[in-house]
Amino acid sequence: MLEVKNLDVHFGVIHALKGVSLTVNDGDIVTLIGANGAGKTTTLRTISGLKKPTNGEILLDGKDITHTSAQDRVKMGISHVPEGRRVFPTMTVLENLELGAFLRRDKDEIAKDLKKVYELFPILADRRKQLAGTLSGGEQQMLAMGRALMSRPKILFLDEPSMGLAPLFVQEIFNIIKNINSTGTTILLVEQNAKMALQIADYAYVIETGSIVLSGTGKELMESEDIKKAYLGG
């Protein structure tokens, strides 16, 4: 579904991504792990159109989208849940969810998708009239994910969904990620919690200082001694 070839990204003189290549197959959960500052978020932002690459190609379903606008990439099926959630705090839960469908015009289908989001996140149905800024961190993460699903994406980008959450919420978020994937949505996951990410990943990439240094199935990387030492506390 998604293919990234030799992606280079610069911030001024800083070479942030150096020839990054990765593939995400239809229906899979693919995770990108690495230390803070390794280039994980920059990779997602570049694929979703929020940062322009200086070199490389991005293909979605075989179509070159390297120079396509972020808005058009949403229309084509990419939805991005950013690091830090970034809900609209002075708007209600329902208004935040409706914004996720801003580019859509199929009202009946939007209503069906809203019902699905409420089934996936029952707490959002209970809090639909509540201001998003008054939700807990875990609830805001659920709202950000629900908002992204309202665009009916082919592929969902999740940037650090467990960041700052209590352990109980972390497990719940990862259960929800697996549930979303089981309904047919492909997922590209950036996650600091390498152990949890690798446990649910079909395939995984390790990025260090802007370069992919290792890849394999989630199981293979879980069993790698280098990964255990560097990321799993082994």
Side-chain angles (χ1 to χ4, degrees):
M1 177 179 287
L2 177 70
E3 190 173 6
V4 176
K5 299 180 179 180
N6 302 314
L7 206 62
D8 284 318
V9 173
H10 288 78
F11 292 94
V13 298
I14 299 172
H15 198 174
L17 296 184
K18 306 163 188 171
V20 167
S21 296
L22 58 85
T23 300
V24 182
N25 290 324
D26 189 11
D28 278 359
I29 298 176
V30 173
T31 190
L32 184 62
I33 65 172
N36 283 334
K40 303 186 301 296
T41 291
T42 299
T43 300
L44 283 195
R45 287 177 58 83
T46 305
I47 299 172
S48 62
L50 300 174
K51 175 66 180 173
K52 291 184 179 180
T54 46
N55 188 50
E57 290 181 295
I58 304 167
L59 306 176
L60 182 68
D61 289 329
K63 182 177 181 180
D64 189 340
I65 63 168
T66 312
H67 303 292
T68 302
S69 70
Q71 175 175 310
D72 285 340
R73 293 185 205 198
V74 174
K75 292 178 182 177
M76 296 170 73
I78 292 176
S79 195
H80 186 165
V81 180
E83 182 181 359
R85 300 175 277 277
R86 300 193 188 182
V87 298
F88 296 95
T90 59
M91 301 176 71
T92 65
V93 166
L94 176 58
E95 288 168 340
N96 270 268
L97 292 174
E98 288 173 338
L99 276 177
F102 180 75
L103 295 176
R104 296 174 58 182
R105 297 293 178 265
D106 49 342
K107 290 185 178 180
D108 290 343
E109 293 301 309
I110 290 171
K112 290 180 183 178
D113 287 342
L114 182 62
K115 183 179 179 181
K116 289 178 183 177
V117 168
Y118 284 155
E119 289 171 353
L120 190 61
F121 306 102
I123 191 68
L124 298 184
D126 296 339
R127 307 279 177 90
R128 60 187 179 276
K129 295 181 181 179
Q130 189 171 325
L131 294 182
T134 65
L135 300 178
S136 71
E139 291 164 352
Q140 287 188 19
Q141 184 62 53
M142 292 178 186
L143 177 56
M145 292 167 70
R147 181 180 61 191
L149 290 172
M150 288 299 294
S151 69
R152 194 175 277 186
K154 293 179 182 177
I155 182 167
L156 180 65
F157 294 174
L158 297 171
D159 194 353
E160 303 285 7
S162 75
M163 180 182 285
L165 301 186
L168 189 63
F169 261 124
V170 171
Q171 185 61 60
E172 186 170 358
I173 288 296
F174 276 90
N175 288 340
I176 289 168
I177 292 170
K178 289 191 292 184
N179 194 350
I180 292 170
N181 177 248
S182 71
T183 65
T185 303
T186 304
I187 291 173
L188 178 55
L189 169 67
V190 159
E191 179 55 55
Q192 195 77 26
N193 190 329
K195 183 176 181 180
M196 294 289 287
L198 292 175
Q199 283 177 347
I200 67 169
D202 295 290
Y203 204 80
Y205 294 87
V206 181
I207 186 168
E208 292 180 2
T209 59
S211 299
I212 300 294
V213 296
L214 192 64
S215 66
T217 65
K219 186 175 185 293
E220 286 170 346
L221 294 196
M222 282 281 287
E223 294 172 353
S224 163
E225 291 302 321
D226 289 340
I227 296 301
K228 287 179 182 178
K229 291 174 183 177
Y231 300 106
L232 305 179

